[in-house]
Amino acid sequence: MRIVSNSSVIIGLSAINKFHLLQKLYRNIIIPEAVYKEIVIDGKGCPGEVELDKAIKEKWINIIKVKNQLSVETLLQNFGRGEAEAIILAREQKADFVLIDESLAREKAFLLGLKVKGIIGILLFAKANGINMYCVKIFKPFG
């Protein structure tokens, strides 16, 4: 299965401590260079930075350069670079899904013939596949 991700899904799942679902559900994910830059370089200290950097080192997330820069430039009129590159990369890679949360970007991806999933879809897919999504914390009583 070929999956391309935008920044929003990686950041959002990291923020709620569910980033690990990406590896459990999809095994391998592709991101464009702009997504790496947004999360790891520009997003130092923010949710997703450490998780994405580690996933790249573990080689289950790979960075691929978008070939059709003209199409990316066209999409930049309405979208951020990460969204534009993710949509075009998903088309170039003939991805099974592109992971995007922003509604206008999702709509554009769908109009370009791509299947789209966001954070809610990923959480529902994980639940449907029997992945435990609960975090049990044990607290010590005071005193």
Side-chain angles (χ1 to χ4, degrees):
M1 186 176 284
R2 294 185 82 64
I3 306 295
V4 174
S5 185
N6 180 34
S7 303
S8 61
V9 171
I10 293 170
I11 292 167
L13 288 172
S14 295
I16 62 170
N17 295 317
K18 300 296 179 205
F19 178 80
H20 66 280
L21 293 176
L22 293 174
Q23 185 179 26
K24 283 188 175 193
L25 293 171
Y26 304 118
R27 306 241 187 260
N28 291 298
I29 294 176
I30 302 165
I31 60 167
E33 292 173 328
V35 167
Y36 174 81
K37 184 178 182 301
E38 286 176 4
I39 298 173
V40 176
I41 297 170
D42 298 339
K44 277 258 186 257
C46 295
E49 179 223 343
V50 171
E51 295 88 346
L52 180 58
D53 197 40
K54 183 179 181 213
I56 290 167
K57 288 176 181 160
E58 292 173 352
K59 299 185 190 291
W60 65 269
I61 292 186
N62 298 294
I63 304 167
I64 295 182
K65 184 177 178 69
V66 175
K67 293 176 186 167
N68 190 341
Q69 289 298 317
L70 182 58
S71 290
V72 170
E73 295 301 319
T74 301
L75 289 181
L76 287 177
Q77 296 171 20
N78 299 306
F79 305 105
R81 183 161 293 277
E83 293 163 336
E85 284 193 12
I87 291 168
I88 300 305
L89 184 61
R91 288 197 64 188
E92 290 177 354
Q93 295 291 313
K94 297 178 178 31
D96 294 291
F97 288 98
V98 59
L99 307 178
I100 297 178
D101 268 334
E102 297 82 9
S103 60
L104 289 177
R106 290 169 63 95
E107 185 178 322
K108 183 64 172 183
F110 180 76
L111 289 172
L112 291 172
L114 298 168
K115 292 180 185 172
V116 180
K117 275 193 185 181
I119 292 174
I120 300 299
I122 292 166
L123 295 173
L124 291 172
F125 186 59
K127 183 174 177 165
N129 282 280
I131 295 174
N132 184 354
M133 303 226 303
Y134 300 102
C135 179
V136 178
K137 294 184 178 183
I138 309 290
F139 294 98
K140 288 183 178 181
F142 293 105

